[in-house]
Amino acid sequence: METGSPDNTQTTGDEPVWTGLPPRLLTMRRLLLVVWLGLLAVALGLLLGLLVGPAWAAFAVLPLALMAWGWVLLGRNWASWRYAERADDLLISRGVLWQEETVVPYGRMQLVEVTSGPVERHFRLASVQLHTAAAATDATIPGLDPAEAERLRDRLTELGEARSAGL
């Protein structure tokens, strides 16, 4: 389940059509996990081995165990993220243990931003940040393909302007 993208569920009626996040987001997050915890394991092993004794260097295995656990958790978290565009609002669903679903009405959107940091740009990813009048309904969709992020921004802005004109 964690190696492929989440299924896009297409149903009839009022059920939403869900879109999952690209696998590049999972790759980026796992690479960052390996780099940071790998560096921590090496530094901890060297410091403990040199300062306390060679036997204590075995504690460098702890960050490696944390890395293995984080690898699985990142996969489950990535698979839980999805979004759906409906006629009047945008749904964002996420979470494994505590599932959270955010509904952002198009008419309440004030600002839609596309951001991409240096690591995200390297992996050809971008995030869409939605700002509304109520801070509680602000939402983010991370790790989208830049073209999809721009398409979503343009569509949400267009729908937001059309819906708010009637207010």
Side-chain angles (χ1 to χ4, degrees), residues 44-80:
L44 187 63
L46 286 174
L47 284 174
L48 289 175
L50 293 174
L51 298 177
V52 183
W56 286 91
F59 279 102
V61 172
L62 292 176
L64 298 177
L66 186 61
M67 183 188 311
W69 186 51
W71 187 275
V72 173
L73 290 181
L74 283 173
R76 293 183 65 201
N77 179 271
W78 169 80
S80 74

Side-chain angles (χ1 to χ4, degrees), residues 8 11 16 24 27 37 47 61 64 66 71 74 87 89 100 114 132 136 139 152 162-163:
N8 289 344
T11 57
R24 288 190 314 269
T27 302
L37 288 180
L47 284 174
V61 172
L64 298 177
L66 186 61
W71 187 275
L74 283 173
D89 51 29
E100 188 174 333
V114 174
T132 63
L152 190 59
R163 299 291 194 280

